[in-house]
Amino acid sequence: MQFTRKDILDTASLSAEEIIMILDTAEGMKGISQRAVKKVPTLRGQTVVLFFYEPSTRTRTSFDIAAKRLSADSISISASASSLVKGESLIDTARNLEAMNADIIVMRHSSSGAPHLLASRLKASVINAGDGTHAHPSQALLDMMTVRQKKGSFEGLRIAIIGDISHSRVARSNIAGFGKMGAHVTVAGPPTMIPKGIESLGCRVSHHMDGAIEDADVIMMLRIQKERQKGFLFPTEREYASVYGLNRKRLKKAKKDALILHPGPINRGVEISPDVADSPRSLILDQVNNGVAVRMALLYLVTGGGQNADTD
Amino acid sequence: MRILIKDGRVIDPGRLDDTADILIEDGKIIEIRPDIPVTSASRLIAASGKIVSPGLIDMHVHFREPGEEYKETIESGCRAAAHGGFTAVCTMPNTQPVNDNRQVTEYILKTASRCNGSRVYPVAAISPGLKGEGLCEYAELKEAGAIALSDDGNPVRNSLLMRRALEYAGGVGLPLISHSEETDLSAGAMNEGETATRLGIPGIPNAAESIAVMREIALCELTGVPVHIAHVSTAQSVHAIRDAKKRGIPVTAETAPHYFTLTDKAVDEYNTHAKMNPPLRSEADRNAVREGLADGTIDAIATDHAPHSVLEKEVEFDRAANGVVGLETSLALSLALVREKVLSLSQMIEKMSVNPARILGLETGLKIGGSADITIIDPEHNWTVKAEEFQSRSRNTPFEGWEMKGKAVLTMVEGIIVCSIL
């Protein structure tokens, strides 16, 4: 199979075969990060622009490290430093980057669909590093990689995603990604945080945390953003923690081998208690580690690397 | 000069639907009957196989002059209207500056009088600056030529102000048009539902509209002054208006072609040309709007023609401006309702001419001695929507590339042919 996709915009548009190819490629990339010299010349001469129009530390650093391990030249642009603050349109800024022969634009943006807008107008590859509340494909892929490492496959797995589903691009990308691979996804949270019609993405909805986690193989906790109180989504962090937080007591109701994931950054004591976050069942740091490998795989594959996969 | 329109199917809803000739002199209709001799006129318009209708009226358009002439001028708007078959349009007051005073109303009318296109009837603001904080000088605005009042684009949030506006406007004799929206609920960018959830776009629920429609109905009942509901898009609004009419409350309503033609699925892949306010709704809403048109709950078809340039539309979806152009596609989309048996041809003409005129207190119909405002329609004319060929200065249509059937082939205002492809 060849990987012919120019852009990575969401998991919903990827086929099951493409997802497996990305995960397999990422497993191969992991070894590079464990070497004494953590660098290969694969993307030498390629220019990767990290175009982050919304603050991000983890994802940007992860993509930056991924690009450097493959010997690409990576440049970071943040919103405050870019001409977007001077009133230049998104398309004009991106055209300028392309005129400087950028090969890949990794983009984070607060507007859902912004990477689609760019991808349809640029010859350069666009990798979505999170757009609004729409998609975060590299996060979902690293989550899937982490789960596959522990469970072997996805078929029939039960995935519970708990928290603010309405505002979560991570949830949307995981529902689409895990669903495509044959897993069963249940989302849970207060009704204020479950968007209308989410079932159409291929998941079940529960408003009871215990019911959602009791038969789950994977429990994914989402970050609760304090500022959401302004939209009257929940009364207090205290009440949220007691009803939808994952703590030791509640975890007893889950299967013994249930995995715990969190896309980070975590609010200790809100959606996840400190002892659970630090327990051996928590794979939060495995996720971060796999993140670099998945992003190396994505950079490699969109530049056409996969076309020589059989002969490498 | 005398003009003879010959052998057309002449439709004046409720009064006439027959093959007949119309003779026009000095801007007025002087004779309507079969077999008027050709020799009685110096100009002959052969209308065999065509529909001869009273001039179409679009009671809800946005021309961007004064202030944003790069999107639309009064001149380009009048031309677009004439090409779409409209002999008159009502321009909403959200220009820059806002049409909330005599000077702006007079400027619009003076500019329009020099244009070779549709008539322009300015709608003035309910409140100064569309801010919802007080009443404009309705008596003076009426004297200057304003045809109606609306804060379109912004709802009047304060219910007391809306009550007083109705009472005061009722006294002055200006109809009031409500942009019905509960803004606390409408902080989104498209219809709330599956598509919005999938695209990660914050949704606008139906209740954001229907709550406000129900308030206007309550105030209409309280004051006894008629209120006209602009751009109805939801099933709940249709039900509320239907119930109110049954109870004898003097409420009227309009919808736009995009609401009876499209659903929120048109937004897929972040199509900013399918972004407007109120937003495109679900299939159930689209069907309810069509039923509302069929049973008379919705009185009028108006385009909410809202020109925007690429500066406002080729951007991130949540940052894109609301609105689509509609003047040059409205008639063809309405004729589709006739082919789909939602409306009879006569009902369609009612909703595009007779009813808007009645709501606004304008002259209408094809009457001896009446002004020769006439639209000739070829219902079989096949054409393809190409925005680059629009007379409008803007290209923001969700119907680009659509195969259409039916077109205005001649538009006449006061006996003057302002557009013809015959």
Side-chain angles (χ1 to χ4, degrees):
Chain A
M1 185 195 157
Q2 290 196 341
F3 196 90
T4 53
R5 219 167 260 282
K6 174 174 92 75
D7 311 298
I8 305 287
L9 300 179
D10 50 43
T11 50
S13 56
L14 295 173
S15 67
E17 292 74 28
E18 285 172 318
I19 289 173
I20 288 174
M21 189 175 185
I22 292 165
L23 299 186
D24 289 349
T25 307
E27 291 293 349
M29 294 293 180
K30 270 193 83 117
I32 297 167
S33 299
Q34 287 153 4
R35 294 177 194 170
V37 177
K38 298 190 280 289
K39 207 175 187 68
V40 292
T42 313
L43 294 187
R44 194 168 59 195
Q46 301 275 334
T47 303
V48 177
V49 177
L50 306 172
F51 188 26
F52 276 61
Y53 188 55
E54 195 185 66
S56 159
T57 308
R58 181 186 324 250
T59 305
R60 192 177 64 186
T61 307
S62 184
F63 267 111
D64 202 1
I65 289 173
K68 290 190 161 75
R69 296 223 165 127
L70 295 172
S71 299
D73 298 311
S74 60
I75 296 104
S76 273
I77 301 172
S78 62
S80 55
S82 81
S83 45
L84 286 165
V85 293
K86 298 174 194 162
E88 190 176 50
S89 79
L90 178 62
I91 291 174
D92 281 335
T93 304
R95 280 189 185 132
N96 279 284
L97 296 175
E98 187 166 68
M100 295 177 219
N101 299 99
D103 299 291
I104 303 175
I105 296 174
V106 176
M107 184 188 195
R108 160 73 58 98
H109 199 290
S110 57
S111 295
S112 297
H116 292 67
L117 183 66
L118 279 205
S120 66
R121 283 166 176 77
L122 297 184
K123 286 193 286 294
S125 287
V126 175
I127 298 178
N128 182 3
D131 63 325
T133 56
H134 170 240
H136 195 349
S138 65
Q139 177 70 43
L141 289 161
L142 71 88
D143 292 340
M144 296 173 75
M145 182 177 180
T146 307
V147 168
R148 193 174 75 163
Q149 285 165 356
K150 299 290 178 188
K151 298 287 183 185
S153 79
F154 299 107
E155 195 62 45
L157 281 185
R158 298 192 174 277
I159 318 287
I161 306 177
I162 318 289
D164 185 358
I165 309 300
S166 287
H167 295 92
S168 178
R169 53 194 174 212
V170 175
R172 281 174 179 76
S173 284
N174 271 310
I175 292 167
F178 278 105
K180 201 153 277 198
M181 305 310 291
H184 306 290
V185 181
T186 299
V187 299
T192 48
M193 295 180 172
I194 307 290
K196 226 183 201 176
I198 189 79
E199 299 90 341
S200 68
L201 272 65
C203 63
R204 290 193 312 138
V205 173
S206 170
H207 298 307
H208 303 288
M209 171 117 182
D210 292 349
I213 65 169
E214 64 186 8
D215 62 348
D217 301 294
V218 177
I219 301 168
M220 186 181 297
M221 302 304 297
L222 300 176
R223 176 183 167 78
I224 285 301
Q225 289 172 281
K226 213 181 163 76
E227 63 267 27
R228 299 294 175 207
Q229 276 171 270
K230 280 185 222 141
F232 317 122
L233 293 182
F234 65 105
T236 58
E237 290 184 341
R238 180 170 167 269
E239 170 139 320
Y240 185 86
S242 80
V243 184
Y244 291 99
L246 188 62
N247 52 41
R248 193 168 287 275
K249 190 172 157 222
R250 187 161 274 137
L251 195 54
K252 288 208 175 81
K253 296 187 175 129
K255 286 159 80 171
K256 290 274 170 287
D257 60 347
L259 308 174
I260 298 163
L261 270 63
H262 191 302
I266 62 174
N267 289 316
R268 287 174 181 266
V270 185
E271 71 270 4
I272 191 163
S273 67
D275 50 346
V276 172
D278 297 333
S279 77
R281 292 163 73 177
S282 157
L283 301 177
I284 295 171
L285 295 177
D286 295 51
Q287 291 173 273
V288 176
N289 184 264
N290 286 331
V292 173
V294 157
R295 286 161 183 137
M296 288 168 77
L298 293 177
L299 293 170
Y300 173 67
L301 291 170
V302 297
T303 49
Q307 294 184 23
N308 304 316
D310 292 338
T311 53
D312 271 359
Chain B
M1 183 173 88
R2 283 180 157 193
I3 303 173
L4 179 62
I5 301 174
K6 195 138 186 63
D7 297 329
R9 177 179 166 191
V10 180
I11 304 180
D12 191 2
R15 297 176 58 239
L16 179 64
D17 183 351
D18 219 339
T19 301
D21 303 340
I22 298 181
L23 189 62
I24 295 145
E25 185 177 46
D26 297 333
K28 291 198 182 327
I29 296 172
I30 58 168
E31 208 173 355
I32 306 176
R33 67 170 174 91
D35 306 319
I36 299 175
V38 177
T39 48
S40 57
S42 55
R43 165 119 198 225
L44 177 71
I45 297 167
S48 174
K50 314 282 192 292
I51 295 152
V52 181
S53 161
L56 305 182
I57 299 170
D58 187 344
M59 65 184 297
H60 192 141
V61 304
H62 298 267
F63 292 172
R64 304 302 189 183
E65 185 177 356
E68 292 179 309
E69 289 81 359
Y70 68 101
K71 295 180 180 180
E72 196 83 283
T73 61
I74 291 168
E75 195 273 331
S76 67
C78 286
R79 235 180 323 116
H83 273 252
F86 293 99
T87 56
V89 297
C90 298
T91 54
M92 288 296 160
N94 60 339
T95 46
Q96 294 170 12
V98 170
N99 181 15
D100 58 8
N101 62 71
R102 171 193 282 276
Q103 284 71 29
V104 178
T105 298
E106 285 175 347
Y107 170 81
I108 292 167
L109 285 169
K110 195 173 160 202
T111 308
S113 71
R114 292 194 295 257
C115 298
N116 183 32
S118 68
R119 297 173 189 265
V120 172
Y121 295 110
V123 177
I126 291 171
S127 65
L130 309 172
K131 289 199 174 89
E133 292 167 357
L135 301 176
C136 292
E137 297 171 328
Y138 300 162
E140 182 168 273
L141 284 162
K142 184 176 185 186
E143 193 186 276
I147 190 80
L149 301 166
S150 181
D151 271 2
D152 187 65
N154 295 354
V156 176
R157 291 196 57 151
N158 185 319
S159 299
L160 175 63
L161 174 61
M162 193 61 176
R163 174 193 178 164
R164 297 303 184 214
L166 277 166
E167 290 171 336
Y168 193 82
V172 171
L174 277 177
L176 208 132
I177 301 169
S178 162
H179 171 113
S180 303
E181 177 181 350
E182 172 52 69
T183 52
D184 285 333
L185 275 176
S186 65
M190 70 172 289
N191 183 46
E192 184 171 308
E194 280 181 17
T195 305
T197 293
R198 187 161 46 76
L199 295 176
I201 295 173
I204 303 172
N206 282 15
E209 175 177 305
S210 54
I211 285 176
V213 168
M214 289 177 204
R215 182 197 74 169
E216 308 306 38
I217 290 168
L219 293 174
C220 182
E221 186 174 15
L222 171 69
T223 60
V225 177
V227 65
H228 177 76
I229 309 291
H231 41 57
V232 168
S233 73
T234 75
Q236 292 80 2
S237 301
V238 173
H239 298 153
I241 295 161
R242 184 178 290 132
D243 288 349
K245 284 188 165 184
K246 266 189 206 138
R247 292 193 289 126
I249 297 168
V251 59
T252 56
E254 73 190 33
T255 190
H258 39 270
Y259 300 119
F260 63 68
T261 307
L262 301 172
T263 67
D264 57 359
K265 287 202 169 63
V267 177
D268 242 352
E269 297 310 307
Y270 305 97
N271 179 11
T272 58
H273 285 177
K275 184 183 180 188
M276 72 287 288
N277 186 25
L280 295 172
R281 303 285 188 180
S282 69
E283 184 66 23
D285 293 304
R286 189 181 81 113
N287 288 332
V289 166
R290 290 158 81 97
E291 281 162 25
L293 282 165
D295 72 6
T297 301
I298 298 175
D299 306 85
I301 295 170
T303 63
D304 198 1
H305 178 83
H308 290 293
S309 79
V310 291
L311 296 176
E312 293 83 23
K313 285 293 193 181
E314 286 216 354
V315 296
E316 300 88 323
F317 189 87
D318 56 357
R319 286 157 201 241
N322 284 311
V324 296
V325 291
L327 282 167
E328 293 168 79
T329 49
S330 176
L331 176 59
L333 294 166
S334 301
L335 283 166
L337 288 183
V338 176
R339 283 197 304 279
E340 291 157 17
K341 310 255 184 271
V342 176
L343 297 177
S344 69
L345 201 46
S346 177
Q347 283 174 315
M348 186 203 82
I349 292 170
E350 267 178 16
K351 291 179 199 298
M352 298 186 77
S353 177
V354 179
N355 292 349
R358 174 174 50 80
I359 293 162
L360 297 163
L362 294 169
E363 187 191 339
T364 181
L366 300 170
K367 297 184 187 74
I368 311 274
S371 177
D373 285 26
I374 295 170
T375 304
I376 301 179
I377 300 164
D378 180 352
E380 303 301 322
H381 186 103
N382 293 309
W383 59 289
T384 306
V385 178
K386 289 183 189 136
E388 60 176 28
E389 293 173 4
F390 279 168
Q391 299 297 312
S392 169
R393 282 201 173 179
S394 290
R395 310 272 176 264
N396 51 315
T397 175
F399 301 109
E400 175 70 16
W402 280 41
E403 300 294 331
M404 298 287 199
K405 195 177 177 75
K407 201 178 184 37
V409 289
L410 185 139
T411 309
M412 177 183 285
V413 177
E414 219 175 347
I416 294 165
I417 296 167
V418 291
C419 175
S420 172
I421 55 168
L422 275 177

